[in-house]
């Protein structure tokens, strides 16, 4: 007699709910929100649901992103007609000049008082490539010494184009691939992922700094995103290569070093120890760094052989090594290896400027805010360096311990964001533009589970608008008020954020204690930012406190960024399952009521 058939009763399949829809994603029934999109960016894409392929949608997004970038570039730039140093635009143009007009051994030594090269080798190679292309158009743009402070309109078009092309070759493809992989990992529909992609590419801070103020930060950010995307695809060797490229372009990528190390190491020991993978990652990392500096080594040896000195204007044959001055007496300055040592030490010295102090300009991090209350700059530099190191480690170790113990793909953006917020708030020599590093992974959360829901959208939007606001003093100095206002308010409008809308906090009549709390906290900051703009515009600071409004900007910004760090760390803890399930269940239940 045959037993009961295993197929005699099949349980009813549960409908799979989309975990991230652009109308909203709360605990309410999903069909409640299928009629009306909850914020303008979703409304713009609404007619394309199901009627347009994702490839057509992608092409429209990329065209719109490019249009906004090019339109933003029509404004002025850092240092436009502002002698004597002419700002960041001149720095980038000058690096093109020295990399195309000087031997490679002189790049890190040449005229350090005039925008001396102080970024890693990949930036120099990028400048060299841009210069080779630009010199085909007009060699006078990069004539040594004669082109300083040049403001040729055609040169401006070329320089703007190098930023756009670099971004479309590296950053944008990396973000597109990451969003696709991360959204699929979290069960997000392709249409919602497209909305998230548009929001990420329209992030105002990156457009303001790279395409208006003028820099190439998105090249470094693109390599970092590519490293994260490779982790999602379990291509760990490529992840190491891309991260070395990010470090090789800008040393600020060190903000991401801990989570990259923690995740890659965690993948080698969990769920089981994989020695071959560990050796492979370590080997490819060393090889990547070697390839990065190899042109400098070969070029320096060739220049020395041809009698070309790294310091052409110096009368001395040898100088003490910077940073490692005491090491000079133990080395043979006439040995064949010495020029290589000198070159590498000079490179490190230029890339890591410890002599500049804890901070140069007023920036919205912990140390600058603390300096308003206690003049910490009067303390010895060694003490401040140790204090910054300890505070940075204290803020960055917790998220990376979690990632090491729980190397899970959905945790990557949160771990990257929490760590980089810790670096921004507490590390040494932070620039206001460094806020782009924590903003990037935090903004990528829009492509994840609940990413376009109220809570995540509210916090991601708050961080981005606050980040733009803290960069306003920098942008104001180069007459960029209008693009700042337009791009920031436009992004706020797209995502339904204050001051244009409150839909990211309250919608469809549903509200909870946590939503009211978040709205009150964020609302206080939005009011402070608005009031600050009014006071800064119409009220001159007293003569004895000329930096009053900048100092107020620093204090409010540091407080808001600290909340962003705590939110990212809290979300990371909850999603990592580190806490007991019973406690997490109680917290989730309390949140829904």
């Amino acid at each position: 007699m045959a037993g009961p058939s295993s197929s005699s009763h099949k349980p009813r399949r549960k409908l799979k709910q989309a975990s991230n829809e652009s109308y909203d994603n709360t605990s309410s029934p999903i069909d409640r929100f299928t009629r009306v999109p909850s914020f303008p960016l979703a409304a713009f894409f609404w007619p394309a649901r199901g009627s347009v392929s994702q490839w057509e949608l992608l092409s429209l997004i990329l065209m719109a992103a490019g249009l906004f970038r090019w339109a933003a570039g029509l404004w002025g730039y850092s240092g436009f007609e502002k002698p004597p140093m002419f700002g960041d635009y001149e720095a980038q143009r000058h690096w093109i000049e020295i990399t195309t007009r000087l031997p490679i051994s002189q790049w890190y030594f040449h005229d350090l008082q005039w925008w001396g090269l102080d970024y890693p080798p990949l930036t120099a190679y990028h400048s060299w490539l841009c210069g080779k292309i630009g010199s085909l158009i007009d060699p006078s743009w990069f004539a040594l010494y004669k082109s300083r402070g040049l403001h040729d309109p055609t040169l401006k078009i070329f320089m703007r184009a190098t930023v756009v092309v670099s971004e479309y070759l590296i950053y944008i493809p990396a973000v597109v691939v990451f969003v696709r992989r991360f959204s699929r990992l979290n069960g997000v529909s392709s249409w919602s992922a497209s909305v998230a992609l548009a929001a990420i590419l329209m992030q105002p801070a990156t457009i303001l700094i790279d395409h208006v103020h003028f820099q190439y930060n998105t090249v470094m950010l693109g390599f970092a995103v590519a490293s994260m995307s490779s982790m999602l695809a379990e291509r760990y060797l490529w992840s190491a290569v891309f991260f070395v490229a990010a470090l090789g372009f800008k040393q600020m990528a060190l903000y991401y070093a801990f989570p990259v190390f923690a995740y890659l190491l965690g993948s080698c020991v969990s769920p089981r120890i994989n020695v071959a993978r560990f050796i492979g990652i370590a080997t490819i990392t060393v090889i990547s760094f070697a390839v990065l500096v190899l042109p400098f080594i070969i070029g320096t040896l060739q220049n020395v052989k041809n009698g070309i000195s790294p310091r052409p204007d110096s009368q001395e044959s040898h100088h003490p090594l910077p940073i490692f001055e005491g090491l000079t007496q133990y080395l043979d300055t006439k040995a064949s290896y010495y020029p290589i040592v000198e070159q590498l030490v000079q490179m490190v010295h230029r890339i890591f400027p410890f002599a500049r102090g804890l901070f140069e300009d007023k920036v919205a991090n912990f140390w600058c805010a603390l300096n308003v209350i206690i003049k910490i700059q009067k303390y010895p530099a060694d003490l401040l360096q140790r204090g910054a190191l300890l505070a940075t480690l204290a803020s960055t170790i917790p998220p990376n311990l979690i990632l090491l113990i729980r190397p899970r793909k959905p945790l990557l953006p949160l771990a990257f964001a929490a760590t980089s917020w810790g670096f921004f708030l507490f590390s040494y020599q932070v620039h206001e533009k460094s806020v782009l590093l924590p903003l990037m992974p935090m903004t990528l959360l829009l492509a994840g589970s609940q990413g376009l829901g109220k809570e995540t959208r509210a916090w991601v939007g708050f961080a981005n608008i606050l980040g733009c606001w803290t960069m306003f003093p920098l942008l104001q100095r180069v007459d960029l008020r209008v693009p700042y206002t337009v791009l920031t308010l436009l992004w706020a409008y797209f995502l339904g954020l204050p001051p244009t809308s409150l839909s990211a906090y309250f919608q469809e009549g549903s509200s909870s204690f946590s939503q009211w709390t978040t709205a009150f906290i964020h609302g206080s900051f939005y009011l402070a930012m608005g009031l600050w703009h009014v006071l800064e515009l119409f009220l001159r600071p007293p003569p004895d406190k000329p930096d009053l409004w900048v100092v107020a900007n620093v204090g409010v910004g540091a407080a808001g960024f600290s909340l962003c760090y705590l939110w990212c760390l809290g979300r990371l803890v909850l999603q990592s399952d580190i806490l007991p399930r019973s406690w997490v269940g109680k917290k989730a239940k309390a949140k829904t009521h």
Side-chain angles (χ1 to χ4, degrees):
M1 181 176 174
S5 173
S6 59
S7 61
S8 60
H9 172 72
K10 291 184 179 180
R12 180 177 297 176
R13 270 176 121 182
K14 292 184 179 179
L15 292 175
K16 184 178 179 181
Q17 290 188 357
S19 59
N20 178 27
E21 293 296 337
S22 299
Y23 32 81
D24 205 344
N25 39 13
T26 63
S27 57
S28 302
I30 197 167
D31 57 1
R32 174 183 174 186
F33 302 101
T34 56
R35 299 169 189 164
V36 181
S38 63
F39 53 95
L41 188 60
F44 292 153
F45 285 87
W46 203 253
R49 289 189 312 149
S51 60
V52 177
S53 74
Q54 59 178 328
W55 296 107
E56 291 176 300
L57 208 53
L58 176 61
S59 63
L60 293 174
I61 292 170
L62 296 185
M63 285 191 291
L67 177 63
F68 273 96
R69 280 158 170 74
W70 194 255
L74 296 176
W75 285 90
Y77 47 79
S78 170
F80 178 67
E81 296 183 347
K82 291 186 181 297
M85 296 299 290
F86 298 101
D88 283 357
Y89 176 90
E90 168 61 20
Q92 303 291 341
R93 191 213 58 80
H94 177 62
W95 293 345
I96 293 176
E97 173 189 333
I98 63 176
T99 54
T100 53
R101 298 292 185 263
L102 294 174
I104 192 171
S105 62
Q106 297 180 2
W107 290 0
Y108 281 99
F109 292 91
H110 177 75
D111 197 359
L112 301 181
Q113 300 305 313
W114 184 272
W115 297 116
L117 182 61
D118 57 2
Y119 279 140
L122 197 54
T123 288
Y125 305 148
H126 176 264
S127 298
W128 175 85
L129 180 60
C130 292
K132 288 298 182 181
I133 297 172
S135 295
L136 296 176
I137 303 172
D138 190 342
S140 67
W141 288 345
F142 313 114
L144 195 62
Y145 297 113
K146 298 178 182 179
S147 57
R148 292 186 176 182
L150 184 64
H151 291 302
D152 184 344
T154 310
L155 172 61
K156 174 189 173 183
I157 294 174
F158 171 77
M159 296 291 283
R160 293 293 197 198
T162 61
V163 180
V164 174
V165 172
S166 298
E167 189 165 330
Y168 269 78
L169 288 176
I170 298 173
Y171 176 74
I172 289 181
V175 171
V176 170
V177 174
F178 178 89
V179 167
R180 179 159 299 179
R181 289 174 177 169
F182 195 64
S183 60
R184 287 177 179 174
L185 176 68
N186 289 277
V188 176
S189 69
S190 60
W191 182 81
S192 292
S194 297
V195 178
L197 175 64
I200 294 166
L201 295 183
M202 289 299 296
Q203 184 187 24
T206 55
I207 299 178
L208 285 169
I209 293 302
D210 278 22
H211 298 276
V212 183
H213 188 272
F214 198 88
Q215 279 200 350
Y216 297 95
N217 292 290
T218 49
V219 176
M220 177 269 295
L221 294 174
F223 283 127
V225 175
S227 180
M228 296 172 65
S229 183
S230 298
M231 294 176 192
L232 296 181
E234 299 181 5
R235 297 173 181 171
Y236 302 114
L237 300 185
W238 276 111
S239 177
V241 171
F242 284 130
F243 183 66
V244 170
L247 275 175
F249 197 86
K250 285 201 173 186
Q251 61 270 37
M252 291 187 301
L254 282 170
Y255 281 29
Y256 303 137
F258 281 4
V260 170
F261 175 80
Y263 187 84
L264 293 181
L265 180 60
S267 69
C268 294
V269 299
S270 178
R272 59 183 179 277
I273 296 178
N274 191 328
V275 178
R277 179 182 295 171
F278 177 81
I279 294 175
I281 292 172
T283 302
I284 199 67
T285 300
V286 172
I287 292 174
S288 299
F289 274 113
V291 169
L292 203 59
V293 300
L294 188 61
F296 274 91
I297 296 174
I298 295 174
T300 298
L301 290 175
Q302 288 180 341
N303 292 162
V304 170
K305 182 180 179 180
N306 295 329
I308 300 174
S309 170
R311 309 172 190 265
D313 300 327
S314 176
Q315 301 299 320
E316 300 180 35
S317 58
H318 293 289
H319 293 252
L321 295 173
I323 307 176
F324 308 104
E325 295 181 6
L327 185 63
T328 308
Q329 58 182 325
Y330 299 104
L331 299 175
D332 183 2
T333 58
K334 297 181 180 180
S336 59
Y337 66 80
Y338 187 79
I340 298 174
V341 174
E342 185 180 35
Q343 184 69 234
L344 296 179
V345 170
Q346 176 70 4
M347 188 184 300
V348 173
H349 171 61
R350 293 296 301 160
I351 293 171
F352 299 102
F354 293 108
R356 294 184 187 175
L358 188 60
F359 57 87
E360 280 185 280
D361 207 351
K362 293 179 175 61
V363 56
N365 77 341
F366 173 80
W367 301 115
C368 197
L370 181 62
N371 191 64
V372 177
I373 304 171
I374 304 172
K375 299 302 179 183
I376 58 175
Q377 286 189 309
K378 65 182 180 182
Y379 294 104
D382 291 345
L383 178 62
L384 295 177
Q385 288 177 14
R386 288 194 293 270
L389 176 62
L390 291 175
T392 303
L393 290 175
S395 63
T396 56
I397 285 177
N400 289 286
L401 277 179
I402 294 173
L403 195 61
L404 179 62
I405 298 171
R406 299 279 196 275
R408 299 175 181 174
K409 298 174 186 178
L411 302 181
L412 281 171
L414 284 170
F416 271 69
T419 304
S420 47
W421 278 125
F423 269 96
F424 180 83
L425 287 168
F426 299 108
S427 63
Y428 198 84
Q429 264 295 311
V430 172
H431 197 283
E432 56 264 64
K433 288 174 284 192
S434 301
V435 76
L436 295 177
L437 282 98
L439 287 180
M440 183 273 287
M442 194 170 177
T443 308
L444 292 178
L445 291 172
L446 294 174
S449 177
Q450 306 291 320
L452 295 175
K454 286 196 285 279
E455 181 184 2
T456 302
R457 186 156 45 94
W459 277 98
V460 170
F462 170 72
N464 275 278
I465 292 174
L466 183 65
C468 292
W469 181 75
T470 59
M471 291 189 293
F472 177 79
L474 172 73
L475 300 170
Q476 178 196 28
R477 289 198 294 268
V478 290
D479 303 321
L480 298 176
R481 284 177 175 268
V482 173
Y484 157 82
T485 304
V486 171
L487 289 172
T488 305
L489 291 180
L490 182 65
W491 201 73
Y493 167 73
F494 280 157
L495 295 186
L497 300 165
T500 63
S501 173
L502 295 176
S503 67
Y505 300 92
F506 308 108
Q507 185 182 332
E508 296 288 339
S510 62
S511 61
S512 65
F513 177 76
S514 63
Q515 289 173 345
W516 277 101
T517 303
T518 302
F520 176 77
I521 294 172
H522 289 184
S524 301
F525 279 90
Y526 283 118
L527 286 174
M529 287 187 273
L531 179 61
W532 183 90
H533 272 302
V534 173
L535 294 175
E536 180 272 335
L537 184 61
F538 294 106
L539 188 62
R540 285 179 173 269
D544 58 332
K545 294 181 176 61
D547 295 330
L548 177 62
W549 304 133
V550 179
V551 169
N553 184 289
V554 165
V556 173
F561 292 150
S562 299
L563 291 177
C564 293
Y565 164 76
L566 292 174
W567 182 81
C568 291
L569 181 60
R571 286 283 296 266
L572 179 64
V573 170
L574 291 175
Q575 293 184 19
S576 65
D577 295 332
I578 291 289
L579 298 176
R581 288 183 177 274
S582 59
W583 190 85
V584 175
K586 291 179 182 178
K587 292 286 288 183
K589 188 176 180 180
K591 186 177 179 180
T592 58
H593 287 288

